């Protein structure tokens, strides 16, 4: 199957530098899993004889199941940035679930998984060793993804209408810059704010306010990297901030650098 998907690198900080250190490909799920899985992703690198590389990611509102040698885990949403040390030779295969896509498998409030990770045994009651070996032993990407798919299909849950609704709301927040407040998202969905907040806590693990802010910060980081942010006031307004000081504060709180410092780091 030719399943490669051309999604953007939003959330990967200083993505151009990372492209020189590792390869990243994304692959669409089968129709059977399309209601639960956003895509599969595969990262491979060969830095033998080179300095290790640290890749920082501004995470999305998604759970990821990551198959890695002796370290297979299911990662909840991280509200801060995450940094991965890439060194030597290796690779990982990941399953990125839709924002509400992991809840039907786990049947536990996703807020219990926010800022933490669990083992395959904790989530599915199985040890990860054999499955990890079967997936990572393939030189070709296609059979590795097919094995990961078969694992989920064997445990396929029933469709969940609430999960489908939340996935649609998150997709709208992601794609529509005009949504800058929870009230905007709730109005668009025809839903009470408190109802939306409860559903997000259960199915996603973070608040709708957090999701809106995170997607706007993704856009900010991408604009900075592309050199498109020349007017701080205008960028702040476009991202839903009342003034640039609030935008700069939020950016620094999450990325640990001000926008100016981030730009200097890109040039360095």
């Amino acid at each position: 199957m030719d399943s490669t998907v051309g999604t953007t690198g939003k959330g990967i900080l200083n993505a151009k530098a990372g492209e020189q250190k590792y390869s990243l490909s994304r692959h669409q799920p089968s129709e059977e899993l399309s209601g639960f899985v956003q895509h599969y992703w595969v990262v491979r690198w060969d830095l033998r004889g080179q300095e290790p590389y640290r890749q920082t990611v501004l995470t999305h509102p998604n759970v990821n199941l990551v198959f890695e040698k002796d370290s297979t885990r299911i990662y909840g949403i991280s509200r801060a940035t995450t940094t991965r040390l890439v060194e030597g030779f290796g690779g990982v295969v990941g399953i990125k679930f839709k924002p509400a896509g992991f809840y039907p498998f786990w049947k536990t409030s996703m807020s219990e998984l926010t800022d933490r990770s669990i083992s395959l045994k904790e989530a599915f009651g199985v040890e990860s060793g054999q499955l990890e070996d079967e997936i990572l032993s393939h030189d070709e990407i296609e059979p590795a993804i097919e094995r990961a798919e078969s694992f989920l299909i064997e445990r396929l849950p029933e469709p969940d209408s609430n999960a489908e609704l939340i996935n649609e709301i998150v997709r709208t927040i992601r794609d529509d810059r005009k949504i800058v407040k929870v009230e905007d998202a709730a109005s668009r969905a025809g839903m009470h704010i408190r109802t939306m907040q409860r559903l997000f806590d259960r199915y996603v693990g973070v608040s709708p306010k957090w999701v809106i802010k995170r997607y706007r910060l993704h856009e900010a980081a991408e604009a900075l990297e592309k050199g498109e942010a020349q007017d701080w006031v205008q960028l702040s307004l476009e991202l839903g901030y009342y003034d640039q000081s609030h935008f700069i504060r939020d950016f620094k709180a999450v990325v640990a650098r001000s926008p100016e410092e981030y730009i200097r780091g890109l040039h360095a």
Side-chain angles (χ1 to χ4, degrees):
M1 60 178 178
D2 182 7
S3 60
T4 304
V5 294
T7 54
T8 70
K10 283 184 179 178
I12 301 175
L13 301 184
N14 201 358
K16 289 184 179 178
E19 290 172 358
Q20 310 304 314
K21 303 296 183 178
Y22 57 80
S23 66
L24 167 63
S25 61
R26 302 176 179 90
H27 309 266
Q28 64 187 10
S30 65
E31 182 65 28
E32 200 167 0
L33 285 169
S34 61
F36 306 98
V37 174
Q38 188 155 314
H39 60 248
Y40 302 95
W41 52 271
V42 180
V43 176
R44 291 178 172 175
W45 62 89
D46 187 350
L47 295 182
R48 289 173 291 190
Q50 302 179 47
E51 289 294 319
Y53 178 74
R54 292 186 180 276
Q55 177 62 69
T56 302
V57 176
L58 190 58
T59 54
H60 292 245
N62 304 77
V63 170
N64 283 269
L65 167 51
V66 182
F67 295 97
E68 183 174 9
K69 184 63 177 174
D70 300 325
S71 299
T72 293
R73 304 283 291 177
I74 297 164
Y75 293 89
I77 296 169
S78 174
R79 287 176 288 193
T81 57
T82 61
T83 300
R84 165 63 192 255
L85 181 66
V86 183
E87 58 183 343
F89 175 81
V92 299
V93 175
I95 302 173
K96 182 177 182 179
F97 291 89
K98 288 189 172 182
F102 188 64
Y103 174 83
F105 289 94
W106 201 36
K107 294 294 186 183
T108 301
S109 175
M110 296 310 302
S111 60
E112 297 292 320
L113 193 54
T114 301
D115 290 324
R116 58 185 290 258
S117 67
I118 56 176
S119 67
L120 215 61
K121 187 173 181 61
E122 291 175 272
F124 294 106
V126 298
E127 298 291 348
S128 61
Q130 181 177 346
L131 178 63
E132 179 184 288
D133 290 341
E134 291 173 354
I135 290 174
L136 298 179
S137 64
H138 293 288
D139 292 329
E140 299 296 324
I141 291 176
E142 182 177 327
I145 291 176
E146 288 178 349
R147 182 64 188 94
E149 278 233 318
S150 67
F151 174 80
L152 292 181
I153 289 174
E154 290 167 4
R155 295 159 177 81
L156 195 67
E158 292 295 321
D160 187 318
S161 59
N162 281 331
E164 294 171 1
L165 174 60
I166 294 300
N167 286 333
E168 179 60 34
I169 292 172
V170 174
R171 182 164 51 250
T172 301
I173 291 172
R174 182 195 66 193
D175 295 340
D176 190 347
R177 270 193 172 190
K178 294 178 182 178
I179 297 177
V180 295
K181 297 183 294 185
V182 178
E183 290 87 344
D184 300 332
S187 176
R188 184 73 62 85
M191 182 184 297
H192 290 296
I193 291 176
R194 290 188 179 276
T195 300
M196 179 177 287
Q197 290 169 333
R198 286 195 297 270
L199 287 173
F200 268 65
D201 183 76
R202 183 178 183 185
Y203 281 85
V204 184
V206 290
S207 69
K209 180 180 179 180
W210 185 95
V211 173
I212 292 170
K213 185 176 292 187
R214 178 51 55 97
Y215 278 132
R216 301 297 85 91
L217 288 177
H218 279 171
E219 294 173 6
E222 185 177 53
L224 293 174
E225 183 155 347
K226 291 181 176 180
E228 297 173 351
Q230 305 300 324
D231 186 334
W232 295 116
V233 175
Q234 183 60 34
L235 178 62
S236 302
L237 292 174
E238 289 176 358
L239 298 176
Y241 288 90
Y242 295 108
D243 58 65
Q244 62 176 331
S245 63
H246 283 82
F247 159 64
I248 293 171
R249 181 193 62 195
D250 281 356
F251 190 93
K252 188 172 183 178
V254 176
V255 181
R257 284 174 287 174
S258 69
E260 292 90 344
E261 291 169 334
Y262 182 68
I263 291 174
R264 287 198 296 270
L266 294 174
H267 292 161

